Amino acid sequence: MQIHVVKSKIHRVKVTGADLNYIGSITIDEALMEASNIYEGEKVSIVNLNNGERLETYAITGPRNSGEITLNGPAARKVHKGDIIIIIAYGILTCEEAKNFKPALVFPNEHDNSLK
């Protein structure tokens, strides 16, 4: 049997922009993507702590150390600049693999999205 497990999480990061006219996705600071082991094009879940919205999209790389977290396309309707979100990516593992797996968890500074 295989199960879905949390592979990566960026916990409590501030939305810096929402661009309705972009094709789609979430733009994430490259340093945050690297630290959390999230890859460009990878499917991610977004949980908005301000309004309870949950959505799925894919990650694209933003400028390194910019603090950028921008929801693009239709997802821009689910957030506002300044909202606090959690970004989660999942992996599929066997039950045996999951017993010893350790996810990449990142807790950035909520004020500027920098790594602590």
Side-chain angles (χ1 to χ4, degrees):
M1 179 182 354
Q2 294 182 315
I3 60 172
H4 292 251
V5 298
V6 173
K7 175 189 81 69
S8 307
K9 181 165 87 165
I10 302 173
H11 190 76
R12 297 186 63 91
V13 67
K14 186 185 295 186
V15 173
T16 59
D19 186 355
L20 184 61
N21 295 311
Y22 193 83
I23 295 171
S25 69
I26 181 171
T27 304
I28 304 171
D29 177 316
E30 183 177 24
L32 291 173
M33 286 181 64
E34 187 175 280
S36 63
N37 200 26
I38 293 175
Y39 298 92
E40 184 154 72
E42 184 173 3
K43 178 180 173 181
V44 292
S45 295
I46 310 299
V47 181
N48 187 329
L49 297 174
N50 292 80
N51 62 18
E53 290 282 355
R54 298 179 74 93
L55 62 108
E56 293 181 335
T57 189
Y58 61 93
I60 60 173
T61 306
R64 181 176 284 280
N65 299 319
S66 65
E68 182 176 0
I69 300 291
T70 302
L71 277 293
N72 303 305
R77 293 199 183 274
K78 306 287 187 179
V79 301
H80 295 287
K81 184 176 179 179
D83 283 358
I84 302 297
I85 63 172
I86 300 169
I87 304 168
I88 308 163
Y90 298 91
I92 300 172
L93 301 175
T94 66
C95 293
E96 197 59 38
E97 290 171 324
K99 289 178 183 178
N100 297 312
F101 180 77
K102 302 291 184 225
L105 307 176
V106 176
F107 300 89
N109 180 317
E110 280 186 46
H111 301 290
D112 63 5
N113 295 339
S114 64
L115 295 169
K116 293 181 180 178

